């Protein structure tokens, strides 16, 4: 295992990704982590990340310098290197201006980190302070036009530093350098696979839970489904999942989910039909944020009431992913779990005195999908497009009525059917229909109509932070539009949303 100390660099998740791509497990820890805690993990190597601060700034992140005497190989990147150099008796000077961008790297010692790296290669620089003198025991191993100490190595203590970022694509030989660190310098083995992760996690869950009971809020999304299956394979009937049908799901969604999860995987699930409760509370509400608040509040109440019926429940499981955990490490200076707003159970663990179990808290989204495959979950669950917690409530613009929900469901069903048929479902981040709160005139047969407008939204995205409208083939859009207008009672016009995020958002409300 490798420990990454988070000094605040925007590239930290990338370092973790790069390490894991090599089948080596890693964890990101806050600089405040106690050395004892780090030692407990028995890491084979430590990476000190970059960071936006200057080591001379008050309040800049620091780690106990005794880390350099643990006898564990350490790679300092950028700020991490400057911190190491200053802590071990070298000289770091506050630079007037930041060095940022591509630089030509001249490797002077083609061994260690640079084994198999050309003598002249490009690297990506992004640092403020600059190193004037290396600490005793170190020698420079690469330079750039701006610095003689672009990289350095203390071979005896296995301490290394680079002023540039090997983890970004802009450093083309960076992957080779990281592999040299992991395998040659730290002696890691390529042993971390989803199979080993699943095995180990199942064992951990069994140890933690013992013969107690666990409650899990199931949304039908990939994260909560994988969490459910992982727990089910660990503790079987000691897991109870709660699925709240809020009446705002897509057509047949609850039924299909019931089938996939209960029939196929034999998971213990309680389905709560709370649709009337949600729809009653949403009557007459048109403001999107009010809709969200109402839905969140009722979800909490329904979930809590159901969870209280499960006698002897001591744990609440959640599908929290690593990016959320990392965000909270950086924001609060120490690991702490945050609750996803999606199935927001807020203060529930505290009120019901439940302990949290988050078995996916060290995984990225694509790793969760790999884990799902490993656990034997079917493709239709693993590759489901994200669906917002408030569901169709934020896709029926304006007031939500049973009739408008039915219209939208029928439109949405046709759209998804055609998207799947065309082979686009997996390629799109999301694809869905929106029912607009205005009507337009049309003509059907010989009669004038005055009916609803449906908008079609399909986007590509990596993480939903930004998104682009999908360039779907015109033939596909034509078929979708034709079918919707002909088959769905109450719609006489279809429009396609061609806005990107930003400045638009993915959802319309
Ligand atoms: P926007 O519309 O902000 O959406 O571009 C980004 C992603 O988040 C989803 N989304 C939500 N998910 N509760 C959720 O659980 C919400 O209130 C909510 N609003 C938006 C949206 O579907 C997209 O994937």
């Amino acid at each position: 295992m490798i420990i990454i100390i988070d000094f605040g660099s925007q590239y930290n998740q990338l370092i973790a990704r790069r390490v894991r791509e090599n089948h080596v497990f890693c964890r990101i820890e806050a600089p405040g982590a106690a050395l004892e805690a780090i030692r407990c993990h028995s890491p084979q190597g430590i990476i000190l990340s970059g960071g936006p601060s200057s080591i001379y700034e008050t309040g800049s992140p620091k780690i106990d310098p005794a880390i350099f005497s643990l006898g564990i190989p350490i790679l300092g990147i950028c700020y991490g290197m400057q911190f190491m150099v200053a802590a071990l008796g070298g000289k770091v000077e506050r630079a007037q201006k930041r060095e940022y961008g591509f630089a030509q790297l001249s490797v002077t010692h083609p061994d260690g980190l640079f084994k198999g790296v050309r003598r002249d290669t490009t690297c990506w620089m992004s640092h403020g302070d600059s190193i004037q003198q290396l600490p005793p025991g170190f020698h420079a191993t690469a330079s750039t036009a701006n610095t003689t100490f672009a990289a350095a190595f203390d071979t005896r203590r296995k301490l290394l530093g680079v002023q540039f970022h090997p983890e970004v694509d802009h450093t083309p030989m960076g992957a080779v350098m990281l592999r040299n660190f992991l395998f040659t310098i730290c002696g890691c083995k390529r042993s971390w696979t989803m199979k080993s992760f699943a095995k180990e996690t199942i064992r951990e869950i069994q140890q933690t839970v013992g013969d107690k009971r666990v409650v899990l809020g199931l949304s039908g999304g990939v994260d909560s489904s994988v969490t459910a299956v992982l727990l089910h394979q660990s503790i079987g009937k000691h897991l109870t999942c709660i699925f709240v049908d809020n009446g705002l799901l897509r057509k047949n969604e609850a039924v299909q989910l019931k089938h996939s999860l209960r029939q196929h995987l034999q998971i213990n699930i309680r389905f709560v039909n709370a649709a009337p409760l949600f729809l009653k509370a949403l009557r007459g509400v048109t403001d999107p944020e009010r809709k969200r608040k109402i839905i969140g509040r009722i979800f909490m109440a329904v979930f809590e009431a159901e969870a209280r019926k499960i006698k002897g429940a001591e744990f609440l499981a959640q599908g929290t992913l690593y990016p959320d955990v990392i965000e909270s490490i950086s924001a609060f200076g120490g690991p702490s779990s945050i609750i996803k707003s999606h199935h927001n159970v807020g203060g529930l663990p505290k009120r019901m005195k439940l302990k949290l179990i988050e078995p996916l808290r060290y995984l990225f989204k694509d790793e969760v999908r790999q884990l799902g495959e490993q656990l034997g979950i079917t493709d239709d669950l693993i590759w489901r497009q994200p669906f917002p917690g408030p569901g169709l409530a934020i896709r029926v613009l304006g007031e939500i009525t049973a009739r408008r929900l039915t219209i939208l469901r029928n439109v949405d069903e046709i759209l998804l059917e055609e998207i799947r048929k065309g082979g686009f479902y997996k390629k799109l981040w999301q694809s869905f229909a929106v029912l607009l709160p205005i009507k337009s005139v049309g003509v059907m047969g010989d009669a004038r109509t005055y009916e609803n407008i449906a908008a079609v939204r399909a986007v590509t995205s990596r993480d939903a932070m930004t998104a682009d409208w999908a360039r779907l083939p015109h033939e596909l859009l034509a078929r979708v539009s034709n079918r919707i207008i002909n088959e769905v009672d109450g719609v006489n016009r279809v429009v396609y949303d061609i806005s990107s995020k930003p400045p638009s958002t993915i959802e319309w409300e």
Side-chain angles (χ1 to χ4, degrees):
M1 177 208 246
I2 295 286
I3 296 274
I4 299 162
I5 302 292
D6 178 6
F7 282 140
S9 164
Q10 55 172 326
Y11 299 131
N12 283 344
Q13 292 200 28
L14 211 51
I15 303 177
R17 307 267 11 199
R18 295 284 171 265
V19 173
R20 291 187 185 187
E21 277 161 14
N22 284 295
H23 299 286
V24 174
F25 186 56
C26 65
R27 271 168 71 152
I28 300 181
E29 298 285 341
L35 288 193
E36 204 36 54
I38 292 177
R39 215 179 354 216
C40 271
H41 292 304
S42 320
Q44 281 154 300
I46 296 171
I47 297 176
L48 305 180
S49 87
S53 319
S54 155
I55 56 166
Y56 293 110
E57 254 169 66
T58 44
S60 61
K62 292 183 175 46
I63 185 148
D64 183 348
I67 196 168
F68 301 114
S69 317
L70 290 177
I72 301 169
I74 299 181
L75 169 64
I77 297 176
C78 189
Y79 177 92
M81 178 185 191
Q82 285 140 18
F83 182 84
M84 180 182 336
V85 165
L88 295 174
K91 269 200 203 131
V92 177
E93 209 164 66
R94 203 164 183 165
Q96 293 309 310
K97 72 180 213 302
R98 229 180 142 74
E99 186 183 3
Y100 184 81
F102 285 108
Q104 204 54 36
L105 188 75
S106 303
V107 174
T108 48
H109 286 67
D111 52 6
L113 215 53
F114 300 121
K115 193 157 177 264
V117 174
R118 281 191 308 273
R119 283 196 175 252
D120 284 300
T121 182
T122 315
C123 68
W124 183 256
M125 290 284 191
S126 170
H127 65 99
D129 296 343
S130 79
I131 291 166
Q132 297 300 311
Q133 193 189 320
L134 294 174
F138 279 81
H139 63 275
T141 53
S143 63
T144 65
N146 272 338
T147 173
T148 21
F149 308 115
F153 194 6
D154 177 334
T155 34
R156 192 180 59 79
R157 290 185 284 179
K158 293 196 179 171
L159 301 178
L160 306 94
V162 289
Q163 292 262 61
F164 56 90
H165 289 274
E167 70 275 22
V168 303
D169 287 336
H170 295 322
T171 303
M173 296 303 278
V176 176
M177 299 173 201
L178 286 175
R179 275 203 296 275
N180 284 334
F181 178 67
L182 297 176
F183 301 114
T184 315
I185 295 165
C186 301
C188 293
K189 297 256 177 330
R190 294 172 179 272
S191 58
W192 193 68
T193 59
M194 273 309 141
K195 196 171 172 186
S196 64
F197 177 84
K199 215 168 124 191
E200 199 165 302
T201 309
I202 286 174
R203 198 174 41 81
E204 270 174 29
I205 293 170
Q206 287 166 341
Q207 273 173 2
T208 312
V209 176
D211 58 357
K212 306 289 188 303
R213 297 202 157 269
V214 181
V215 188
L216 168 75
L218 202 57
S219 71
V222 57
D223 306 341
S224 67
S225 301
V226 171
T227 308
V229 174
L230 195 59
L231 275 144
H232 177 70
Q233 295 193 3
S234 311
I235 55 167
K237 294 287 173 217
H238 287 259
L239 168 72
T240 307
C241 297
I242 299 173
F243 180 88
V244 178
D245 183 348
N246 56 11
L248 302 163
L249 300 171
R250 284 175 150 152
K251 198 168 177 179
N252 299 328
E253 200 160 27
V255 178
Q256 277 165 9
L257 202 79
K258 221 177 206 167
H259 180 76
S260 304
L261 291 166
R262 193 184 259 165
Q263 252 56 35
H264 178 62
L265 298 158
Q266 282 123 41
I267 289 181
N268 194 359
I269 309 179
R270 291 178 178 221
F271 285 86
V272 188
N273 177 13
L277 218 58
F278 281 90
L279 298 187
K280 189 167 166 237
L282 286 168
R283 202 173 291 155
V285 179
T286 54
D287 178 66
E289 281 317 297
R290 266 197 72 209
K291 286 181 183 176
R292 280 191 172 79
K293 286 214 172 77
I294 291 169
I295 292 164
R297 180 168 50 76
I298 297 180
F299 175 84
M300 273 277 280
V302 172
F303 186 88
E304 182 167 351
E306 197 60 31
R308 284 191 186 280
K309 291 184 197 161
I310 301 161
K311 295 280 167 274
E314 284 199 13
F315 296 91
L316 177 78
Q318 294 204 132
T320 313
L321 301 196
Y322 205 28
D324 304 324
V325 176
I326 296 174
E327 248 167 51
S328 61
I329 292 176
S330 299
F332 305 113
S336 69
S337 54
I338 56 164
I339 309 228
K340 288 186 120 182
S341 56
H342 184 143
H343 11 94
N344 195 339
V345 288
L348 185 72
K350 213 169 167 187
R351 271 205 308 280
M352 285 185 63
K353 299 199 175 63
L354 295 172
K355 287 172 249 165
L356 274 182
I357 294 191
E358 294 169 316
L360 310 183
R361 70 193 315 269
Y362 294 113
L363 299 188
F364 294 100
K365 190 87 173 180
D366 56 329
E367 292 172 334
V368 171
R369 290 199 159 116
Q370 287 170 32
L371 176 63
E373 280 171 1
Q374 179 66 40
L375 296 171
I377 303 179
T378 47
D379 255 23
D380 59 323
L381 267 182
I382 292 179
W383 290 101
R384 280 191 73 188
Q385 292 177 357
F387 186 70
L392 301 185
I394 53 170
R395 293 180 181 171
V396 168
L397 307 195
E399 192 180 352
I400 302 154
T401 61
R403 167 152 168 83
R404 294 181 68 75
L405 280 171
T406 304
I407 293 175
L408 180 60
R409 282 194 181 103
N410 291 337
V411 171
D412 200 66
E413 185 187 29
I414 293 171
L415 172 66
L416 283 196
E417 210 176 288
E418 292 297 333
I419 292 273
R420 283 205 171 93
K421 248 196 249 165
F424 285 93
Y425 186 79
K426 263 194 187 180
K427 293 183 192 148
L428 296 171
W429 173 265
Q430 276 172 298
S431 44
F432 56 88
V434 180
L435 191 65
L436 307 195
I438 44 170
K439 290 189 166 187
S440 82
V441 173
V443 52
M444 270 194 181
D446 291 329
R448 175 189 183 276
T449 58
Y450 186 55
E451 292 286 10
N452 293 290
I453 307 172
V456 170
R457 181 83 162 134
V459 294
T460 52
S461 173
R462 249 160 48 105
D463 49 16
M465 301 296 287
T466 61
D468 197 8
W469 61 276
R471 272 49 168 187
L472 292 177
H474 288 177
E475 297 70 32
L476 173 68
L477 292 171
R479 228 174 6 258
V480 166
S481 160
N482 248 325
R483 279 196 59 196
I484 292 172
I485 295 170
N486 282 312
E487 295 174 33
V488 182
D489 191 23
V491 176
N492 68 355
R493 191 176 297 267
V494 173
V495 295
Y496 188 52
D497 183 349
I498 51 168
S499 351
S500 295
K501 174 184 180 175
S504 300
T505 51
I506 295 176
E507 302 291 344
W508 278 44
E509 278 198 339

